[in-house]
Amino acid sequence: MGMKRHGLAAIVLAAIGMAWAVAPACADEAEANRAARWHDVAGAIFNGRKITESAGLIAIDAPPRALDASLVPVTITVQPGPKIVGLTLVIDDNPAPVAARFRFGPLADPHVLKTRVRVDQYTLIHAVAELQDGSLVSTERFIKAAGGCSAPGTESSTEALARIGRMKMRLVPAASPGGPMTADLLISHPNFNGMQMNPVTRLYTPARYVQSVSVTEGGKSVFTMEGDISLAEDPAITFSFRPAGNAPLDVQVNDSAKAVFKQSFPLETHAS
Amino acid sequence: MRVGACAEATRQNAGGIANIGFIVGSTGVAVIDPGGSLLDGRRLHAAIRAVTQLPITYVISTHAHPDHVFGGEAFLPDHPIFVGHWRLPAALANRAAYDHARLAAILGEADTGDPVSPTLLVRDALTLDLGGRKLRLRATTAAHSDTDITVLDEGSHTLWAGDLLFVGRIPSLQGNLKGWLTALDQIAAIPAVRAIPGHGPASVPWPEGAADERRYLTVLLHDVRAAIAAGQDIDAVTGTAAQSERGKWALFDSYNGHNVVVAFKELQWE
């Protein structure tokens, strides 16, 4: 799995090497370069499968100019329509463009999904939804933010490491009876991205990041997420679901150092 | 001492945006923050030599941020002892390459320079003697940054507060909000009649001069905490928290949103 993903990253980087070498002389050229970059990145991630532009089915929102490039909130909203089985969030110009890949289980009601990412330079970000029939639809947004990947870890990363694996969950009851609940999941993890060089030793601080998050209720899946180094420190995921019963939400987090963190959150004590 | 420009680093100000200076004793000179670039440091060096030929024995860095440390290289020929927080060597190792690239893009490679890692480290407290003039150094836990130290010049009852104290320019939070308020309480008890802020005028009365900063940090803490308790999202909070402080600070719009994000990251675990 790890090898496969690294292989993918290598393909992507090789493919866009040429594009990076060209300094955009004007806005049109920059735009053309972004389109070319997305073509290459999408081709590598989705093995050349056809991707059509979302005609209003999904939308992606993020601040046009990020306040903190190492923590950029991204919201994906899905309109009622064809069932969505997966969502991929791509930060086109990040060194590891795939920020997260979600697979939705039977309990998911993916009308809203939020997370926080690192952004290395001005870039398009894409959300790609996979429909039940296997087709892919995408939507994009341009973000101005820079330095979120190679920036030195904030002073808080020491604290994140100290409480690694701790989780918080905030549940928002359904707006109407039988409607979906929303949950904010927060996972303490430094998500070290391996891109900071120590100028004395010339070594990179080793990457250690959240590789997967799985949320289930009573043994049934809400979603699983594959993460990568583009997720911000202390990964946060807001998701919506329809509880099958009153069993607690079980969360399991696996990181790249093979650590496993588990926690259960009762549904009823949080609902009011 | 030299009062820094109330601006971001530019080619015009050569990265000289922080307050930097020096103290002359009877046997030597201590530099307190060597400046925001090699050029800024060389200018400080020239200013020292215009006043005294005594050896520069200590170069003290109040914390790891580039506007305070990149002039360090300008003092290497004097072979001073470089002094800083016990976490400063690691902090510089972690961020110097990144800061260098960003600064060189603005100033040009020739004027940028590099910080010098300290060899004399302040774990809790440390006293330096310039010959009949004692400097009391104190380290804090994470506050403005996680490498903050203060310097009390006992002879003149002057506290060099570094970036634990901003006056006029909006405080920039890179460390720990609650820790900063605690550090303010601690340094308020230091017996000084004036303090030199890291950014702001040459000096302010002490401890009254910290009142505005304490108010801003308290409002920030209150607003972000209340927003988290109300279940608000980080993107909503950045536009609302501490907005009552708008108009009271220079560069408010450049830093307040980032401060809110840093505060949110810390307070979301309460």
Side-chain angles (χ1 to χ4, degrees):
Chain A
M1 185 72 136
M3 284 303 292
K4 195 174 157 196
R5 213 200 32 258
H6 285 126
L8 174 68
I11 291 166
V12 171
L13 288 171
I16 52 76
M18 291 295 287
W20 269 1
V22 182
C26 62
D28 285 350
E29 197 176 331
E31 213 163 282
N33 282 349
R34 285 195 190 99
R37 167 81 179 172
W38 170 238
H39 181 265
D40 292 342
V41 168
I45 297 170
F46 299 102
N47 300 317
R49 288 161 67 190
K50 186 178 175 228
I51 303 172
T52 52
E53 275 193 36
S54 163
L57 178 64
I58 56 173
I60 189 165
D61 192 30
R65 185 177 284 279
L67 294 159
D68 183 341
S70 66
L71 199 170
V72 180
V74 177
T75 303
I76 299 162
T77 47
V78 180
Q79 297 305 316
K83 191 175 174 191
I84 286 178
V85 296
L87 256 178
T88 303
L89 177 60
V90 183
I91 320 295
D92 294 17
D93 286 295
N94 269 10
V98 180
R101 304 184 86 146
F102 293 88
R103 300 300 297 180
F104 299 114
L107 301 187
D109 184 338
H111 66 275
V112 64
L113 190 65
K114 295 187 189 183
T115 191
R116 303 169 184 170
V117 298
R118 294 172 166 136
V119 176
D120 202 41
Q121 54 181 310
Y122 287 18
T123 183
L124 283 174
I125 61 174
H126 280 87
V128 180
E130 180 170 350
L131 308 186
Q132 205 161 22
D133 64 6
S135 61
L136 300 172
V137 297
S138 77
T139 183
E140 67 180 34
R141 192 172 182 93
F142 184 63
I143 310 189
K144 290 181 175 175
C149 292
S150 49
T154 62
E155 276 87 354
S156 60
S157 53
T158 316
E159 289 165 33
L161 190 59
R163 60 168 184 249
I164 191 166
R166 191 179 148 198
M167 296 179 216
K168 284 181 83 170
M169 179 92 78
R170 197 178 71 90
L171 289 162
V172 181
S176 56
M181 293 179 83
T182 305
D184 301 323
L185 171 64
L186 186 62
I187 302 157
S188 193
H189 198 291
N191 232 46
F192 286 130
N193 63 14
M195 290 178 59
Q196 292 141 15
M197 184 194 273
N198 181 321
V200 179
T201 62
R202 299 277 162 189
L203 296 173
Y204 288 95
T205 305
R208 182 179 180 182
Y209 56 93
V210 168
Q211 265 183 329
S212 72
V213 176
S214 145
V215 177
T216 58
E217 191 220 349
K220 289 183 180 163
S221 172
V222 177
F223 71 86
T224 57
M225 184 209 75
E226 278 180 58
D228 210 312
I229 58 173
S230 287
L231 285 182
E233 176 185 293
D234 287 344
I237 305 165
T238 295
F239 58 94
S240 49
F241 68 107
R242 289 171 189 273
N246 273 324
L249 275 180
D250 295 316
V251 182
Q252 178 171 329
V253 176
N254 292 51
D255 81 2
S256 59
K258 308 239 181 288
V260 180
F261 309 103
K262 293 180 182 181
Q263 204 164 321
S264 290
F265 299 91
L267 283 184
E268 61 274 19
T269 55
H270 290 261
S272 56
Chain B
M1 72 153 284
R2 193 289 312 279
V3 176
C6 188
E8 307 287 12
T10 61
R11 194 180 284 276
Q12 282 71 35
N13 63 35
I17 60 171
N19 294 340
I20 58 175
F22 57 94
I23 296 171
V24 184
S26 64
T27 57
V29 180
V31 170
I32 301 180
D33 280 348
S37 68
L38 179 58
L39 180 57
D40 200 30
R42 283 187 176 142
R43 287 174 179 165
L44 178 62
H45 194 278
I48 294 169
R49 285 295 166 246
V51 174
T52 177
Q53 293 305 314
L54 284 172
I56 296 167
T57 44
Y58 297 106
V59 173
I60 303 166
S61 293
T62 59
H63 62 293
H65 293 157
D67 49 330
H68 297 261
V69 298
F70 266 74
E73 191 183 331
F75 296 90
L76 277 177
D78 298 273
H79 303 291
I81 296 172
F82 286 84
V83 189
H85 193 283
W86 64 272
R87 278 200 289 242
L88 186 61
L92 290 178
N94 192 34
R95 64 181 296 150
Y98 174 78
D99 287 340
H100 181 101
R102 283 185 54 153
L103 201 55
I106 298 167
L107 304 181
E109 188 58 48
D111 289 337
T112 298
D114 275 307
V116 178
S117 199
T119 52
L120 181 57
L121 303 181
V122 188
R123 298 218 162 251
D124 180 31
L126 182 75
T127 300
L128 304 178
D129 194 343
L130 300 177
R133 193 158 190 176
K134 288 203 163 61
L135 304 182
R136 308 271 185 203
L137 280 56
R138 280 172 55 159
T140 65
T141 53
H144 159 71
S145 69
D146 67 353
T147 53
D148 299 307
I149 62 168
T150 56
V151 181
L152 174 65
D153 175 23
E154 276 195 333
S156 67
H157 306 286
T158 302
L159 176 69
W160 295 67
D163 278 6
L164 289 176
L165 181 61
F166 283 68
V167 178
R169 177 185 176 127
I170 183 172
S172 163
L173 174 62
Q174 315 272 334
N176 186 285
L177 179 54
K178 287 188 282 182
W180 197 345
L181 282 162
T182 304
L184 269 187
D185 287 340
Q186 289 164 353
I187 65 171
I190 293 177
V193 297
R194 71 185 69 81
I196 298 173
H199 299 272
S203 77
V204 292
W206 193 250
E208 309 86 274
D212 285 352
E213 178 177 276
R214 182 189 300 276
R215 186 197 65 238
Y216 171 77
L217 296 177
T218 305
V219 167
L220 181 64
L221 177 70
H222 172 270
D223 287 3
V224 174
R225 224 177 225 166
I228 291 171
Q232 285 188 38
D233 250 350
I234 197 163
D235 38 357
V237 182
T238 50
T240 56
Q243 284 298 315
S244 61
E245 289 286 311
R246 198 161 188 278
K248 296 175 182 170
W249 299 96
L251 299 173
F252 181 87
D253 290 337
S254 304
Y255 286 89
N256 186 62
H258 184 262
N259 289 346
V260 172
V261 173
V262 175
F264 195 104
K265 282 163 76 169
E266 171 189 338
L267 300 173
Q268 69 186 352
W269 291 104
E270 282 189 337

